[in-house]
């Protein structure tokens, strides 16, 4: 089960680009006849050693590797065609599909490339995935990872000097802000350079060069879909360190025009792409449990609980997080019960900051030993509830703004709903997957969207994963993706 400190904020984000582009595949372009063996080529490469050090951490933080022979062959096919015409065909790559529903791709120095299964589910054809990979390959061949690391190390040293000399006065803060902006400008330059190199590689490999702009459009649509009815805020650091999407789309189309007119150059590779992702795991994996509406269920652990209405559950690798109205937040995780001490002693054993020991009390929750307590820190009040089940201690942390009356109400809902799942519930838990269907006479966008599972916005998600614009239509014989068991 998940092990982590009782902290709401996630660990530092990966130093990778969040920009995604799409590309196409040319069937008559094949991988190199003399493929490089990664371990041999990179044996004495310090850049590869840097990537190798970070690789296990990245794989672990993204839920491990996604193992599926059909999907792996698909990604290898696309990457092989790109490698043969890349800026540095001698560069070897190690491509990992991450077992994460997040939509992301990034690169590490030395040829370590990563793409999530969530991105593969969103992409509409091989050319779009090729665009992502060629962009990330461009970061590797241009040594952006090494350059940025050096720049950030220098900036950290400079920031420390400024902080020591100027303390926290206005001049010091302004100097630190200017340092962040210098890093942001450097990042923008890298991203745009990777776009240009990547699209050139696409066109030379015979892919549809307009796939880059097309997938950026899909990413923009996905961002709108995810932010609907959400309090999520875009951080200034993210916006300042990445080019705006409209700018990137315009520039991507400009680069693509060098190869010809949109729709008349390159191959999209949609049919073999759909064949390669049919059955792809979508959303939560069985190892991490499932989110179904306001409920979290875990078949392996045999437990379930509900969050209040209007809360949004986010099933992370390290914990289950939920956020709701009024800045209320919930964290759920579990640790091994190695010492078998009383739960009242466990709560007071030092892992809770700001604990009010006078509030610790034992209780029973649906037949399971439990304990609860209150804590306070900074601007927050917390309810801490721990529950013992066999060899596990499950932990709920509920946080509300200091003085909020919602603390007990929210914690009570969690405690009352936490229970063992029934055998029938466990048997019914099946992962969602991407299923590829052929449109039949009488099928419409609406009727096909009604078959979507795992979302209450069936039509919106159906259009999104099939890149269907407003006013688009489908015809018998077309192939579409749905999300189903």
């Amino acid at each position: 089960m998940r092990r982590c400190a009782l902290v709401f904020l996630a660990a530092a984000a990966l130093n990778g680009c969040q920009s995604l582009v799409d590309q196409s595949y040319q069937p008559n372009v094949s991988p190199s006849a003399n493929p490089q063996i990664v371990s041999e080529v990179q044996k004495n490469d310090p850049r590869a050693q840097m990537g190798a050090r970070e690789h296990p951490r990245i794989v672990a933080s993204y839920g491990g590797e996604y193992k599926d022979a059909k999907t792996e062959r698909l990604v290898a096919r696309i990457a092989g065609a790109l490698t043969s015409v890349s800026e540095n065909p001698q560069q070897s790559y190690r491509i990992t599909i991450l077992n994460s529903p997040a939509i992301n791709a990034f690169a590490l120095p030395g040829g370590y490339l990563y793409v999530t299964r969530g991105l593969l589910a969103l992409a509409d054809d091989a050319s779009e995935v090729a665009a992502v990979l060629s962009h990330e390959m461009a970061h590797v061949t241009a040594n952006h990872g090494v350059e940025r690391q050096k720049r950030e190390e220098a900036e950290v040293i400079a920031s420390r000097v400024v902080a020591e000399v100027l303390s926290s006065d206005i001049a010091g803060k302004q100097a630190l802000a200017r340092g962040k902006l210098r890093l942001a400008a450097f990042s923008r330059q890298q991203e745009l350079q990777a776009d240009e190199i990547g699209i050139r590689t696409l066109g030379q490999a015979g892919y549809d060069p307009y796939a880059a702009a097309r997938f950026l459009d899909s990413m923009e649509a996905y961002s709108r879909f995810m932010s609907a009815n959400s309090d999520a805020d875009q951080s200034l650091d993210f916006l300042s360190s990445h080019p705006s999407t409209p700018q990137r789309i315009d520039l991507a189309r400009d680069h693509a025009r060098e190869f010809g007119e949109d729709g008349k150059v390159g191959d999209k590779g949609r049919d073999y792409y759909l064949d390669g992702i049919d059955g792809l795991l979508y959303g939560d994996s069985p190892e991490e449990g499932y989110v179904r509406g306001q409920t979290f269920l875990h078949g392996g652990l045999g437990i379930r609980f509900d969050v209040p209405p209007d809360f949004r559950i986010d099933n992370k690798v390290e914990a289950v997080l939920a956020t709701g109205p009024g800045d209320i937040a919930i964290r759920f995780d579990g640790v091994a019960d190695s010492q078998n001490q009383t739960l009242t002693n466990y709560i007071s054993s030092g892992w809770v900051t700001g604990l009010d020991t006078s509030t610790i009390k034992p209780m029973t929750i649906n037949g399971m030993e439990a304990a609860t307590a209150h804590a306070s820190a900074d601007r927050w009040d917390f309810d801490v509830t721990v529950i013992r089940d066999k060899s596990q201690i499950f932990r709920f942390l509920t946080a509300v703004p200091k003085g909020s009356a919602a603390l007990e109400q929210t914690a009570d809902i969690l405690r009352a709903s936490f229970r063992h799942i029934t055998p029938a519930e466990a048997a019914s838990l099946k992962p969602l997957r991407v299923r590829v269907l052929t449109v039949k006479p009488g099928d419409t966008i609406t009727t096909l969207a009604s078959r979507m599972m795992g979302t209450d916005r069936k039509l919106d998600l159906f259009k999104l994963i099939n890149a269907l614009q407003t006013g688009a239509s489908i015809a018998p014989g077309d192939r579409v993706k749905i999300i189903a068991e």
Side-chain angles (χ1 to χ4, degrees):
M1 186 55 181
R2 305 172 171 95
R3 295 176 180 271
C4 49
L6 197 64
V7 180
F8 272 105
L9 298 179
L14 292 169
N15 181 21
C17 75
Q18 302 293 325
S19 60
L20 303 171
V21 282
D22 52 321
Q23 308 165 11
S24 57
Y25 179 77
Q26 180 76 339
N28 62 5
V29 176
S30 61
S32 170
N34 299 300
Q36 304 291 322
I37 301 173
V38 174
S39 58
E40 184 64 27
V41 172
Q42 299 182 345
K43 185 165 57 177
N44 299 313
D45 184 351
R47 295 168 301 177
Q49 293 168 7
M50 185 187 305
R53 287 195 302 270
E54 292 297 312
H55 175 75
R57 181 182 67 82
I58 288 175
V59 170
S61 65
Y62 273 80
E65 296 185 31
Y66 180 70
K67 294 293 188 180
D68 179 85
K70 181 173 64 172
T71 307
E72 291 176 79
R73 285 194 299 269
L74 170 68
V75 174
R77 175 181 180 177
I78 297 170
L82 292 169
T83 303
S84 65
V85 297
S86 71
E87 297 281 302
N88 180 9
Q90 299 305 310
Q91 171 69 55
S92 57
Y93 294 95
R94 175 174 177 172
I95 301 177
T96 301
I97 303 174
L98 296 169
N99 187 24
S100 170
I103 296 177
N104 204 355
F106 45 90
L108 290 180
Y112 286 78
L113 301 182
Y114 304 87
V115 60
T116 61
R117 59 175 170 80
L119 185 144
L120 298 179
L122 178 64
D124 198 47
D125 54 48
S127 69
E128 295 185 359
V129 175
V132 173
L133 293 180
S134 67
H135 177 91
E136 300 307 332
M137 287 177 175
H139 279 305
V140 173
T141 58
N143 281 332
H144 284 166
V146 175
E147 291 179 11
R148 181 161 186 175
Q149 183 185 51
K150 291 178 179 177
R151 184 65 173 259
E152 288 181 339
E153 288 172 351
E155 199 64 52
V156 167
I157 294 172
S159 297
R160 288 174 180 167
V161 172
V162 168
E164 291 172 2
V165 173
L166 300 175
S167 187
S168 59
D169 62 17
I170 297 299
K173 293 179 179 179
Q174 289 175 341
L176 292 173
R178 285 195 298 272
K180 282 192 173 184
L181 290 176
R182 285 196 297 272
L183 275 178
F186 187 68
S187 178
R188 277 197 297 270
Q189 179 184 358
Q190 289 180 331
E191 293 298 316
L192 296 177
Q193 183 183 9
D195 281 349
E196 182 177 2
I197 295 172
I199 294 171
R200 184 164 65 244
T201 302
L202 282 183
Q204 291 172 347
Y207 291 96
D208 173 10
Y210 289 89
R214 208 166 55 243
F215 196 57
L216 283 170
D217 279 333
S218 292
M219 279 299 302
E220 179 70 15
Y222 180 78
S223 177
R224 291 194 299 270
F225 175 83
M226 292 301 292
S227 63
N229 303 319
S230 172
D231 295 329
D233 185 24
Q234 296 284 355
S235 76
L236 177 62
D237 285 343
F238 180 84
L239 293 176
S240 66
S241 62
H242 293 73
S244 67
T245 297
Q247 178 195 20
R248 298 198 61 188
I249 293 174
D250 289 344
L251 289 173
R253 290 198 178 104
D254 287 343
H255 295 316
R257 289 189 188 100
E258 297 177 10
F259 292 92
E261 188 177 343
D262 190 4
K264 295 184 179 180
V265 290
D267 177 60
K268 291 183 171 65
R270 190 166 193 269
D271 279 335
Y272 75 77
Y273 183 75
L274 292 179
D275 291 340
I277 65 166
D278 191 13
L280 180 74
L281 185 66
Y282 183 87
D284 300 328
S285 65
E287 294 78 15
E288 299 300 334
Y290 302 101
V291 174
R292 297 291 185 263
Q294 306 304 109
T295 303
F296 175 78
L297 308 97
H298 199 298
L301 297 172
I303 54 95
R304 59 167 289 166
F305 63 86
D306 302 325
V307 299
D310 300 325
F311 273 63
R312 176 178 171 179
I313 303 178
D314 194 3
N315 189 13
K316 301 284 190 182
V317 172
E318 72 279 5
V320 179
L321 307 176
T323 54
D327 293 330
I328 305 173
I330 297 165
R331 180 187 179 107
F332 171 79
D333 67 5
V335 295
D337 184 11
S338 57
Q339 298 182 353
N340 199 33
Q341 59 185 314
T342 65
L343 291 183
T344 53
N345 285 342
Y346 175 72
I347 283 186
S348 60
S349 61
W351 59 279
V352 180
T353 301
L355 180 70
D356 181 353
T357 56
S358 68
T359 63
I360 299 175
K361 62 179 181 180
M363 60 172 45
T364 300
I365 296 178
N366 288 320
M368 290 172 277
E369 179 191 357
T372 185
H374 286 175
S376 295
D378 298 327
R379 298 178 295 109
W380 302 93
D381 289 334
F382 301 93
D383 178 274
V384 183
T385 298
V386 294
I387 306 164
R388 174 177 282 128
D389 184 36
K390 302 184 182 70
S391 60
Q392 293 280 332
I393 294 178
F394 296 109
R395 313 187 297 191
F396 284 107
L397 179 67
T398 305
V400 302
K402 192 173 288 292
S404 171
L407 182 62
E408 282 301 319
Q409 178 185 1
T410 304
D412 283 345
I413 291 175
L414 297 172
R415 287 191 286 260
S417 66
F418 186 88
R419 64 173 175 82
H420 292 120
I421 60 175
T422 66
E425 287 173 327
S428 69
L429 286 177
K430 297 178 181 178
L432 298 178
R433 297 186 182 275
V434 175
R435 302 295 184 188
V436 178
L437 306 178
T438 300
V439 177
K440 299 177 180 178
D443 285 338
T444 66
I445 290 176
T446 302
T447 60
L448 289 170
S450 68
R451 300 170 64 177
M452 297 275 289
M453 300 176 65
T455 178
D456 56 359
R457 299 167 60 194
K458 298 174 184 287
L459 183 59
D460 289 341
L461 186 58
F462 177 80
K463 289 181 176 179
L464 183 61
I465 64 173
N466 288 289
L468 295 173
Q469 305 298 322
T470 302
S473 61
I474 56 176
D478 290 347
R479 302 178 76 193
V480 295
K481 296 179 286 183
I482 67 167
I483 306 303
E485 291 182 345

